[in-house]
Amino acid sequence: MGASSKIAKIDSEEMFLSADLDTMAKLEEESKESRPPLKIVWRNIFTFSSAHIAALIGMYQFFFVAKWPTVFFAIFLHFAGAMGVTAGAHRLWSHRSFKATLPARIIFAVMCTLAHQNDVIEWARDHRCHHKWTDTEADPHNSKRGFFYSHVGWLLTRKSEKLKEMGGKIDISDLWEDEVLVFQRRHYLPLATLVCFILPTVIPVYFWGETPLVAFYVAGMFRYIFTLNSTFLINSAAHMFGYKPYDASISPVESVWTNIQAAGEGGHNFHHTFPQDYRASEFGYMTNWTKAMLDGMAWAGMIYDRKTVSDEVINRQKTNRGDPHHAHHHRH
Ligand SMILES: [Zn+2]
Ligand SMILES: [Zn+2]
């Protein structure tokens, strides 16, 4: 407690990862001339399709076959993985919106591995590109290419030369200095297989006698694909369907239902406007579970230096740049 429970105020000028408007305008001009065609990666289509079929079997078993402890275990694992991504890969490692002790970083890395959304260094590099060059050819999940592309299509196609070139320009040296992330990346596949699939299968079988295949399909495949799609919705739906109280000129929106599913990441118009605010939205504890977890960890001294933007700056931004029709409804 003590110093760790203090909250640091930041001004919108010192925002890390604000949109790089000049480069974005240049990329826009370029893409008007020619937009590179997408190259399909059939191997990824096969993997994703198989995983979704397995998840459908798991969904059926979740409702009609699995034992109660397995059902609760799968729900628990969903939120543990989702919050590992939101608190760790996203708010800590992509945005540096707070600082974390070694134990906290190890916990976040395990939770991220449970969600199995690529290793954190790769995740954070993609995400930094997404913020810096939102909705251009340098944004890995450019929502101008449509719902499906920004949801999952970007993972089923080869990265364009432009994406690779721009991704190489993003500074991720801070990530390579984190020994937890380097360890995770070096041993990523065996770690992900163990944490995302083997343990979720073994634990229900060993502790409450669940059938091995039911444990695998429900707590492994269904839970994994559910979490994955919850995160994907932030890149697709939360860039399309909702309101814009903070900046009406950008594609990210406020979306209450994705906020619940993704444990507090649905305040996406706020988040793209103030990317270094650890709260990622003005939603309260009821839906921003990631914020609740982070505040608890700060209280316990595991994380510190949480950054927030002052209400005064937020209100000024709303008045100047927000969509006036929805400015008063953002808490609904
Ligand atoms: Zn972000
Ligand atoms: Zn976004």
Side-chain angles (χ1 to χ4, degrees):
M1 276 196 74
S4 63
S5 60
K6 281 208 202 84
I7 287 186
K9 290 266 184 239
I10 35 172
D11 209 296
S12 51
E13 272 74 54
E14 12 173 328
M15 279 292 166
F16 175 63
L17 279 183
S18 295
D20 170 6
L21 297 173
D22 294 340
T23 313
M24 281 166 67
K26 220 179 88 207
L27 287 162
E28 261 315 279
E29 275 310 304
E30 281 174 28
S31 68
K32 267 180 203 152
E33 286 158 27
S34 74
R35 209 181 219 185
L38 298 173
K39 289 203 189 79
I40 292 174
V41 181
W42 288 104
R43 207 178 70 139
N44 293 7
I45 292 194
F46 176 77
T47 312
F48 269 82
S49 311
S50 316
H52 276 76
I53 291 167
L56 285 177
I57 298 171
M59 185 165 80
Y60 173 82
Q61 294 179 333
F62 176 89
F63 288 110
F64 302 111
V65 182
K67 296 187 173 184
W68 278 110
T70 310
V71 169
F72 287 119
F73 184 58
I75 295 170
F76 168 78
L77 290 184
H78 161 67
F79 282 108
M83 285 160 81
V85 170
T86 58
H90 189 216
R91 300 186 199 185
L92 171 65
W93 282 305
S94 298
H95 290 294
R96 297 284 168 206
S97 66
F98 60 91
K99 295 195 178 82
T101 58
L102 180 65
R105 282 182 285 131
I106 291 173
I107 292 171
F108 289 148
V110 172
M111 289 161 80
C112 286
T113 310
L114 172 66
H116 183 24
Q117 303 185 353
N118 285 337
D119 63 75
V120 170
I121 293 180
E122 172 131 8
W123 201 106
R125 201 227 12 240
D126 282 345
H127 193 71
R128 287 180 181 183
C129 293
H130 170 63
H131 273 267
K132 215 164 157 99
W133 304 302
T134 312
D135 291 335
T136 67
E137 289 302 314
D139 174 353
H141 29 87
N142 179 2
S143 72
K144 282 210 180 110
R145 280 189 181 265
F147 185 94
F148 187 78
Y149 180 81
S150 58
H151 191 78
V152 64
W154 67 284
L155 291 164
L156 307 176
T157 49
R158 195 154 289 136
K159 273 195 156 99
S160 71
E161 289 307 313
K162 193 88 223 166
L163 263 177
K164 284 189 207 152
E165 179 203 323
M166 299 301 281
K169 287 183 188 167
I170 283 275
D171 183 4
I172 50 167
S173 53
D174 56 316
L175 304 174
W176 283 109
E177 276 162 23
D178 192 322
E179 65 271 42
V180 176
L181 298 190
V182 173
F183 180 88
Q184 192 218 26
R185 186 171 171 108
R186 197 159 287 156
H187 306 285
Y188 188 65
L189 265 185
L191 282 176
T193 311
L194 176 72
V195 180
C196 183
F197 300 111
I198 296 178
L199 288 179
T201 306
V202 169
I203 289 170
V205 173
Y206 184 82
F207 286 99
W208 53 87
E210 183 59 273
T211 315
L213 272 182
V214 173
F216 170 74
Y217 280 121
V218 173
M221 296 311 299
F222 173 53
R223 180 270 318 164
Y224 167 54
I225 292 297
F226 186 85
T227 310
L228 205 57
N229 280 286
S230 303
T231 302
F232 289 169
L233 282 169
I234 302 301
N235 298 333
S236 55
H239 272 261
M240 289 176 192
F241 316 118
Y243 41 99
K244 303 177 178 180
Y246 307 98
D247 191 340
S249 70
I250 56 178
S251 73
V253 296
E254 299 290 289
S255 161
V256 179
W257 55 280
T258 59
N259 199 49
I260 293 166
Q261 201 174 12
E265 301 277 88
H268 214 51
N269 191 251
F270 180 95
H271 176 59
H272 273 262
T273 310
F274 304 112
Q276 214 182 358
D277 190 311
Y278 88 102
R279 302 169 297 180
S281 74
E282 286 192 282
F283 290 119
Y285 284 154
M286 281 301 280
T287 56
N288 195 345
W289 294 6
T290 301
K291 175 177 184 287
M293 177 176 77
L294 291 176
D295 290 349
M297 290 175 86
W299 178 82
M302 297 178 77
I303 68 162
Y304 53 102
D305 282 0
R306 285 162 296 163
K307 297 189 182 76
T308 61
V309 182
S310 68
D311 288 346
E312 191 197 333
V313 172
I314 295 173
N315 288 332
R316 203 190 315 141
Q317 170 78 22
K318 277 185 188 161
T319 315
N320 296 340
R321 304 292 307 274
D323 179 350
H325 300 293
H326 293 290
H328 305 294
H329 303 302
H330 72 279
R331 279 177 195 278
H332 288 192

